[in-house]
């Protein structure tokens, strides 16, 4: 097993993990998002994920960080790894329906709308500029690892990538991706817009979600090394950054996204021209019945978990240390 698909020589001295939290109302479409106990419950997932990562336990509901099949959520992995390496996260509220229960940098944004009905992110330009300002504000750090939690965000990613001209397919948190639903939504969005949109910020405004604007702004404003931690959603951000004419950051995700046959992660990364690293934590070989479900395509990635594991490796932690910390934490929630 090769833990990181590409070799790295950097050893960050002042790294920071950022989790951008946002909603898109697309997650409330029945059957579209695998996040949460039900479509409306998906809107609460970013709040609960941040709560788990920040304090190590979910306290605002009786939910446990497992899927109904017993698969630990990506936030569990991120929490375990960040706790092990002693890095405290910074959460950014880019636009949520529910008020966060942990400290966040609140950009006073609105949750993303359904792009079939109208512009999804009317204040995209403002959110982008706020991202730029935050990137400059964090210049004392030498590395930013930027993750996200946006239930339904792979569908907005599909809309954005296609609108930017990429023949892309996106991943899903479900073992069986609702590809036909995503395609139907994209078709409805293009019918509403009825024209080609050349400006990338307009593409976010019409078809994207709030996270995308903030993440692209962070990459523009931050002077150090920035890594986009996520799968096809962060490839959409990378595509936006390229369309804006800004230098491309790197992307990191898990091998479970790479191996998703319903998606085109590796091909899309090549089409964009963005360097991508795949983390292989070997969940199929460590004897945990819930984590092994990642290998069959459940969940795959989320809340920057691939980036958190990569950060631990860059800081000198061995793959065995990283996976032991994950098993230790998630075992407390295993059935």
């Amino acid at each position: 097993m090769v833990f990181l698909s590409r070799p790295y020589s950097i050893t960050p001295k002042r790294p920071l993990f950022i989790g951008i939290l946002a909603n898109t109302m697309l997650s409330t479409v029945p059957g579209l998002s695998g996040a949460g106990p039900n479509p409306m419950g998906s809107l609460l997932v970013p709040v609960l994920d941040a709560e788990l990562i920040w304090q190590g336990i979910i306290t605002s509901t009786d939910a446990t960080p497992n899927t109904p099949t017993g698969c630990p959520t990506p936030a569990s992995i991120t929490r375990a790894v960040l706790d092990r390496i002693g890095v405290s996260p910074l959460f950014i509220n880019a636009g949520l329906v529910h008020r966060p229960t942990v400290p966040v940098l609140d950009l006073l944004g609105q949750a993303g709308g359904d792009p079939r009905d109208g512009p999804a992110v009317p204040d995209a330009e403002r959110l982008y500029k706020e991202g730029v300002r935050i990137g400059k504000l964090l210049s004392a750090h030498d590395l930013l690892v930027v993750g996200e939690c946006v239930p339904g965000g792979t569908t907005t990613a599909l809309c954005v990538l296609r609108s930017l001209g990429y023949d892309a397919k996106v991943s899903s948190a479900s073992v069986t991706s609702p590809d036909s639903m995503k395609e139907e939504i994209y078709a409805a969005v293009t019918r509403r817009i009825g024209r080609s949109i050349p400006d990338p910020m307009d593409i976010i405004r019409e078809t994207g979600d709030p996270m995308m604007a903030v993440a692209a702004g962070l990459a523009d404003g931050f002077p150090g090394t920035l890594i986009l931690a996520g799968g096809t959603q962060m490839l959409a951000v990378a595509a936006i950054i390229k369309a804006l004419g800004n230098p491309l950051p790197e992307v990191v995700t898990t091998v479970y996204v790479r191996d998703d046959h319903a998606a085109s992660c590796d091909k899309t990364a090549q089409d964009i021209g963005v360097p991508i690293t795949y983390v292989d934590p070997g969940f199929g070989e460590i004897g945990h019945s819930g984590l092994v479900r990642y290998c069959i395509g459940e969940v795959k990635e989320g809340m920057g978990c691939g980036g958190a594991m990569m950060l631990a490796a860059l800081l000198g932690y061995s793959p065995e240390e990283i996976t032991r910390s994950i098993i230790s934490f998630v075992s407390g929630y295993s059935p």
Side-chain angles (χ1 to χ4, degrees):
M1 180 186 80
V2 177
F3 192 72
L4 297 180
S5 64
R6 300 193 313 127
Y8 278 82
S9 58
I10 62 171
T11 303
K13 303 298 183 183
R14 298 178 304 280
L16 179 64
F17 180 92
I18 293 177
I20 303 178
L21 312 175
N23 289 124
T24 166
M25 296 310 293
L26 283 177
S27 74
T28 65
V29 177
L32 187 66
S33 175
N38 52 59
M40 291 307 297
S42 68
L43 297 173
L44 189 59
V45 167
V47 174
L48 300 184
D49 276 3
E51 194 171 77
L52 177 67
I53 295 170
W54 184 257
Q55 59 193 24
I57 190 171
I58 295 173
T59 54
S60 59
T61 75
D62 59 0
T64 60
N66 285 329
T67 69
T69 62
C71 182
T73 62
S76 304
I77 297 169
T78 301
R79 162 65 193 194
V81 176
L82 294 183
D83 189 50
R84 178 69 179 87
I85 66 179
V87 172
S88 294
L90 170 65
F91 293 110
I92 298 175
N93 178 2
L96 292 170
V97 170
H98 299 285
R99 183 177 180 178
T101 55
V102 300
V104 299
L105 184 55
D106 195 339
L107 302 188
L108 306 177
Q110 301 297 312
D114 186 330
R116 295 173 298 179
D117 301 332
V121 191
D123 59 346
E125 184 74 32
R126 183 187 69 83
L127 290 173
Y128 179 86
K129 291 178 180 178
E130 295 290 8
V132 173
R133 293 176 64 187
I134 295 167
K136 293 177 180 178
L137 183 68
L138 298 175
S139 61
H141 295 277
D142 58 351
L143 173 66
L144 295 188
V145 178
V146 182
E148 55 74 31
C149 185
V150 188
T154 55
T155 305
T156 54
L158 177 69
C159 294
V160 165
L161 285 165
R162 294 278 182 84
S163 297
L164 287 168
Y166 296 96
D167 182 21
K169 297 186 294 182
V170 294
S171 193
S172 167
S174 303
V175 175
T176 303
S177 177
D179 294 333
S180 60
M181 292 185 65
K182 294 181 181 185
E183 293 289 349
E184 289 170 5
I185 288 171
Y186 169 67
V189 172
T190 56
R191 285 195 298 270
R192 178 184 68 81
I193 296 171
R195 58 186 172 82
S196 175
I197 304 176
D199 183 82
M201 204 58 58
D202 286 339
I203 289 175
I204 299 177
R205 180 181 297 106
E206 294 293 338
T207 75
D209 61 60
M211 177 278 295
M212 296 174 174
V214 176
L218 276 173
D220 187 1
F222 184 64
T225 300
L226 183 142
I227 296 174
L228 296 172
T232 44
Q233 288 174 257
M234 284 309 193
L235 287 179
V237 174
I240 292 164
I241 292 169
K242 180 178 182 178
L244 289 168
N246 295 329
L248 277 173
E250 300 190 16
V251 172
V252 58
T253 188
T254 66
V255 293
Y256 311 117
V257 175
R258 180 199 66 191
D259 297 340
D260 182 0
H261 297 298
S264 60
C265 186
D266 207 48
K267 177 184 181 299
T268 301
Q270 292 179 34
D271 290 345
I272 297 168
V274 61
I276 189 165
T277 299
Y278 299 104
V279 180
D280 185 357
F283 285 163
E285 305 164 7
I286 58 178
H288 189 280
S289 62
L291 289 169
V292 75
R293 297 192 63 81
Y294 278 74
C295 303
I296 65 171
E298 186 170 353
V299 184
K300 304 179 188 72
E301 162 71 283
M303 202 58 245
C305 70
M309 290 187 283
M310 179 178 170
L311 176 57
L314 295 180
L315 292 173
Y317 292 84
S318 70
E320 293 76 19
E321 289 177 294
I322 295 168
T323 53
R324 278 201 304 268
S325 68
I326 294 168
I327 294 173
S328 175
F329 182 73
V330 304
S331 292
Y333 294 99
S334 298

